[in-house]
């Protein structure tokens, strides 16, 4: 389908939604309502006693609540929900004796057991809706990849497509109706402001109070902005336990959230051996410090075999991106060594030349400081002078622009030749090593079960091939809103970190 046809379909779908509105099907869920009420009480206790003591218990409670909302498949097909319920009961046992409110702990354990043993009524309504309209005429939209995997396993025998919002907008299925599992606030506004389908229905448990339809960020500033109204329908037992006023004010607080802690130090300029990087939480209890380099190896599961291993811009990394990382070291280090090995006859000379100009640049940075160095490099004709700190990394061969590299060497007082020629030879060998690694990775990925990756969020490439061994594919869960200053050698090296454990 070409872009003009897609655009026409979106205009037609948007006109239909403005006319008819979207549906919100709020389904009674007594077991989930009980858990929801206790989650609110728990957050009040946290505010009274402090967050740190309760952190794991609140995290497990939020995670179970999220799964109840986004994964309504039957219990026998819902390992994520059953596992979440078991984890909440485990956290309750750990808190025994640490807090005085034993009654709240007892109630949380009972609620977790009920949720882990009771099918969500939302699932019954979803299945009935699909059967009424026909699987070929609808599509189910999941909140994230994990929810998509679970729902797809359940609905496969009915032949209905299960997608995320990104899939929906990229693939443009021919279906007229989208059944969205989760409240509107969980999804981006384009689902209703630039719809792919002419009908959109959100299915939520009745106890979830926020039913606001998302609007475009520009709508508040536009004349005649498109407004989509909601028609709310309820069914089933929608009664809920009473919640005190203090607990009712925290709707936004009990969605699963990352734990970032506080910024380690005040703002300062990194030294030559440091970089500014954002902490990225990853599936499998991992994290990395992601610097501002140009690109990073990733895995695009939507592509056909042979085209899944890609490089992506660092600025394009988002929650849901799959990164390919090597435990204990960066990919750049492995490729650099492989490239040098290809040039064995000149390895010593090339390495000496690289060390010399990088050492000279590091000394200038130390003497002048970063800002003064950038000013002088720009005056010398180096257009990408802001990358000066990155260039001293042993694994970064040289500036990309030939003119920048030549100007840099002259500014440093280093003879352009043979340094320029050696670095160019090394870069060419590096590209060859990278291409070979990509082919190895493609073979390993093609032989893998990607449904396991999408369901679990991470996958270890157990290949014994040199270069592939030790690589992990892992999903980005969250990215820190601020940068930290970290040692350069720590950037992009995965390490164990449980701060994102409740996001999966």
């Amino acid at each position: 389908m070409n872009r003009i046809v897609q655009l026409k379909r979106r205009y037609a779908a948007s006109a239909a939604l403005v006319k008819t509105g979207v549906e919100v099907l709020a389904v009674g869920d007594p077991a989930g309502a009980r858990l929801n009420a206790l989650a609110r009480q728990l957050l009040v206790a946290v505010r009274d006693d402090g967050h740190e003591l309760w952190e794991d218990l609140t995290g497990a409670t939020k995670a179970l609540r999220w799964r109840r909302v986004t994964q309504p498949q039957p219990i026998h097909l819902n390992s994520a929900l059953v596992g979440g319920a078991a984890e909440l009961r485990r956290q309750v046992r750990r808190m025994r004796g640490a807090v005085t409110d034993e009654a709240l702990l007892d109630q949380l354990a009972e609620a977790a057991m009920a949720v882990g043993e009771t099918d969500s009524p939302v699932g019954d309504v979803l299945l009935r809706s699909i059967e009424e309209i026909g699987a070929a005429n609808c599509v189910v939209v999941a909140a994230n990849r994990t929810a998509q995997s679970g729902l797809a396993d359940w609905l496969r025998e009915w032949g209905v497509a299960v997608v995320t919002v990104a899939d929906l907008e990229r693939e443009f299925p021919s279906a007229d109706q989208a059944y969205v599992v989760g409240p509107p606030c969980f999804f981006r506004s384009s689902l209703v402001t630039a719809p792919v389908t002419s009908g959109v229905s959100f299915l939520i448990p009745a106890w979830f109070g926020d039913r606001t339809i998302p609007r475009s960020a520009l709508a508040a500033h536009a004349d005649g902005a498109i407004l989509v109204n909601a028609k709310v329908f309820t069914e089933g037992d929608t009664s809920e336990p009473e919640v005190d006023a203090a607990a009712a004010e925290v709707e936004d607080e009990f969605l699963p959230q990352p734990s970032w802690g506080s910024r380690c130090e005040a703002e300062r300029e990194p030294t030559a051996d440091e970089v500014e990087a954002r902490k990225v939480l990853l599936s499998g209890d991992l994290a990395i410090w992601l610097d501002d380099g140009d690109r990073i190896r990733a895995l695009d599961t939507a592509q056909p075999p042979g085209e899944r291993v890609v490089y992506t811009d660092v600025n394009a990394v988002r929650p849901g991106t799959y990164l390919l990382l090597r435990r204990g070291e960066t990919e750049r280090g492995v490729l650099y060594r492989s490239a040098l090995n290809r040039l064995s006859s000149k390895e010593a000379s090339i390495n000496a030349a690289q060390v010399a100009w990088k050492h000279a640049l590091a000394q200038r940075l130390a003497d002048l400081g970063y800002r003064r160095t950038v000013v002088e490099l720009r005056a010398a004709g180096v257009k990408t002078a802001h990358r000066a700190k990155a260039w001293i990394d042993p694994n970064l061969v040289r500036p990309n622009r030939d003119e920048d590299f030549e100007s840099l060497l002259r500014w440093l007082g280093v003879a352009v030749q043979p340094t320029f020629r050696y670095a160019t030879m090394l870069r060419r060998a590096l590209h060859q090593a990278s291409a070979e690694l990509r082919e190895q990775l493609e073979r390993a990925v093609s032989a893998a079960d990607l449904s396991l990756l999408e369901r679990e969020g991470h996958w270890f490439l157990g290949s014994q091939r040199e270069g592939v061994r030790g690589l992990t594919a892992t999903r980005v869960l969250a990215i820190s809103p601020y940068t930290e200053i970290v040692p350069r050698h720590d950037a992009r090296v995965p390490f164990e970190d449980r701060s994102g454990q409740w996001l999966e």
Side-chain angles (χ1 to χ4, degrees):
M1 183 185 300
N2 63 43
R3 291 186 178 182
I4 294 177
V5 174
Q6 290 179 353
L7 187 60
K8 289 176 65 177
R9 276 193 57 188
R10 283 199 158 179
Y11 272 117
S14 181
L17 277 188
V18 170
K19 182 178 180 179
T20 63
V22 302
E23 290 184 343
V24 177
L25 305 178
V27 184
D29 174 23
R34 180 59 177 162
L35 176 68
N36 178 60
L38 290 168
R40 294 175 180 272
Q41 292 182 30
L42 178 61
L43 291 187
V44 173
V46 170
R47 286 186 294 188
D48 292 341
D49 290 354
H51 177 72
E52 187 172 341
L53 177 63
W54 297 86
E55 183 173 6
D56 285 339
L57 183 63
T58 55
T61 303
K62 292 176 183 179
L64 181 58
R65 180 182 181 274
W66 166 271
R67 294 174 189 179
R68 186 69 172 185
V69 175
T70 60
Q71 300 190 56
Q73 60 266 32
I75 289 298
H76 71 280
L77 294 173
N78 206 333
S79 58
L81 188 74
V82 173
E87 179 61 25
L88 178 51
R89 294 199 301 273
R90 188 177 78 85
Q91 294 299 334
V92 166
R93 291 194 296 271
R94 290 181 66 248
M95 292 291 289
R96 297 287 185 189
V99 297
T100 57
D101 197 345
E102 292 281 337
L104 177 58
L105 296 180
D106 291 337
Q107 293 170 7
L108 277 170
E110 293 170 3
M113 182 173 294
V115 166
E117 295 176 348
T118 308
D119 288 346
S120 169
V122 175
D124 294 334
V125 174
L126 174 60
L127 193 57
R128 187 187 70 210
S129 300
I130 293 170
E131 291 174 335
E132 288 175 354
I133 197 172
N137 297 319
C138 67
V139 62
V140 174
V141 182
N144 56 23
R145 292 291 181 191
T146 303
Q148 178 194 19
S149 178
L151 288 168
D153 287 346
W154 169 41
L155 297 173
R156 185 172 292 111
E157 64 178 289
W158 279 271
V160 64
V162 181
V163 298
T164 63
V165 175
D167 296 333
L168 182 69
E169 296 179 345
R170 181 177 58 248
E171 298 170 7
F172 261 78
S174 59
D176 294 323
Q177 175 69 42
Y179 291 113
V180 187
V181 181
C185 63
F186 284 9
F187 300 86
R188 58 196 191 205
S189 61
S190 61
L191 188 60
V192 294
T193 58
V196 174
T197 60
S198 55
V200 176
S201 299
F202 293 91
L203 288 86
I204 64 172
W207 49 261
F208 195 97
D210 186 355
R211 299 166 187 177
T212 306
I213 302 301
R215 299 176 63 188
S216 166
L218 299 177
H221 309 285
D223 293 330
I226 295 175
L227 298 178
V228 180
N229 296 316
K231 298 177 181 178
V232 179
F233 301 91
T234 61
E235 68 171 86
D237 182 0
T238 59
S239 60
E240 298 183 36
E242 291 187 6
V243 179
D244 62 58
E249 296 173 356
V250 292
E251 180 69 45
D252 292 338
E253 293 182 27
F254 47 17
L255 296 180
Q257 298 172 357
S259 175
W260 298 119
S262 57
R263 205 168 187 177
C264 294
E265 56 184 327
E267 292 186 10
R268 64 174 176 85
E269 185 175 307
T271 67
D273 295 325
E274 297 175 326
V275 293
E276 284 191 81
R278 295 183 186 275
K279 190 177 186 182
V280 178
L281 301 181
L282 305 166
S283 178
D285 293 336
L286 296 174
I288 60 168
W289 293 106
L290 186 59
D291 59 2
D292 63 349
D294 294 332
R295 58 183 190 167
I296 189 169
R297 185 88 71 176
L299 183 65
D300 188 345
T301 58
Q303 296 302 315
E307 300 178 17
R308 289 171 175 158
V309 178
V310 298
Y311 273 114
T312 188
D313 290 341
V314 167
N315 292 333
V317 174
R318 299 284 186 273
T321 301
Y322 289 99
L323 299 180
L324 281 170
L325 302 169
R326 192 179 305 274
R327 298 295 292 267
E329 59 181 334
T330 65
E331 180 183 300
R332 287 184 297 193
V334 173
L335 291 176
Y336 188 89
R337 292 196 301 272
S338 177
L340 276 178
N341 289 337
R342 291 169 178 271
L343 303 168
S344 56
S345 62
K346 295 183 179 295
E347 179 178 349
S349 299
I350 291 173
N351 196 50
Q354 288 291 102
V355 169
W357 77 262
K358 288 176 179 289
H359 176 75
L361 178 57
Q363 190 61 53
R364 289 287 185 97
L365 282 164
D367 294 342
L368 302 177
Y370 172 70
R371 291 184 177 86
R372 178 68 182 277
T373 298
V374 170
V375 170
E376 293 200 9
L377 281 174
R378 284 177 177 159
V382 180
K383 291 187 175 181
T384 53
H386 64 283
R387 298 279 293 153
K389 284 183 180 178
W391 292 332
I392 66 175
D393 186 331
N395 299 317
L396 192 61
V397 176
R398 44 153 284 185
N400 284 328
R401 294 180 73 249
D402 289 348
E403 296 84 355
D404 279 357
F405 192 28
E406 290 176 354
S407 298
L408 171 64
L409 293 175
R410 292 191 184 99
W411 181 75
L412 291 172
V414 175
V416 173
Q417 298 296 350
T419 301
F420 184 95
R421 183 172 68 256
Y422 283 159
T424 303
M425 291 171 59
L426 181 58
R427 184 173 65 174
R428 189 179 302 117
L430 191 67
H431 290 166
Q432 293 170 349
S434 180
E436 284 192 3
L437 175 58
R438 182 184 179 279
E439 291 178 1
Q440 293 174 356
L441 288 172
E442 286 288 5
R443 288 194 292 270
V445 169
S446 296
D449 179 6
L450 292 186
S451 64
L452 178 65
L453 172 63
E454 296 195 345
R455 183 167 59 253
E456 300 294 333
H458 56 278
W459 167 59
F460 178 71
L461 279 69
S463 172
Q464 294 304 306
R465 295 188 185 98
E466 184 64 31
V468 177
R469 187 168 57 249
L471 278 169
T472 298
T474 178
R475 183 166 56 224
V476 173
L477 302 178
I479 302 174
S480 172
Y482 54 81
T483 60
E484 293 279 7
I485 296 174
V486 299
R488 185 177 297 277
H489 58 73
D490 286 344
R492 305 195 183 199
V493 178
F495 57 92
E496 292 187 5
D497 189 296
R498 292 177 59 81
S499 302
Q501 62 178 319
W502 308 118
L503 299 179
E504 297 193 73

